[in-house]
Amino acid sequence: MTADRKRRAREKFLLGGIVVKAGLSTTDRAFLLGGLTELARVISGSAEHRRLRDIGEEAFKAPSHNPSSPHMTEDAGWR
């Protein structure tokens, strides 16, 4: 396996981990892709971008997972 292929595989693994961490692993894939497509439209540096990033930062720090909460269990090393 080439170094570039390993890097891409690791990136996909980490991105998949974020989906699991968010509690979305059993979500309809079309819904998930639609949500990610909408997120891609948020302008970097905008108030909405900062708000969503802040939510993500807090979710990475959260110590435990509650299915009714957006907070996750894994450590912040997934960033």
Side-chain angles (χ1 to χ4, degrees):
M1 185 180 278
T2 67
D4 189 49
R5 188 170 173 195
K6 282 183 180 181
R7 182 193 55 76
R8 287 192 317 264
R10 177 167 169 72
E11 182 178 344
K12 289 175 185 177
F13 175 79
L14 292 174
L15 291 171
I18 289 171
V19 170
V20 171
K21 193 170 182 100
L24 297 171
S25 61
T26 60
T27 300
D28 178 285
R29 291 187 312 172
F31 171 78
L32 183 60
L33 182 57
L36 292 170
T37 301
E38 283 295 306
L39 283 174
R41 295 178 181 154
V42 175
I43 298 169
S44 183
S46 68
E48 181 67 357
H49 184 271
R50 288 188 302 273
R51 184 185 75 81
L52 293 170
R53 190 172 196 295
D54 289 345
I55 291 169
E57 286 290 331
E58 287 303 312
F60 274 122
K61 294 175 189 174
S64 63
H65 176 67
N66 175 343
S68 64
S69 169
H71 300 290
M72 315 317 155
T73 56
E74 302 297 328
D75 69 61
W78 287 31
R79 282 189 264 171

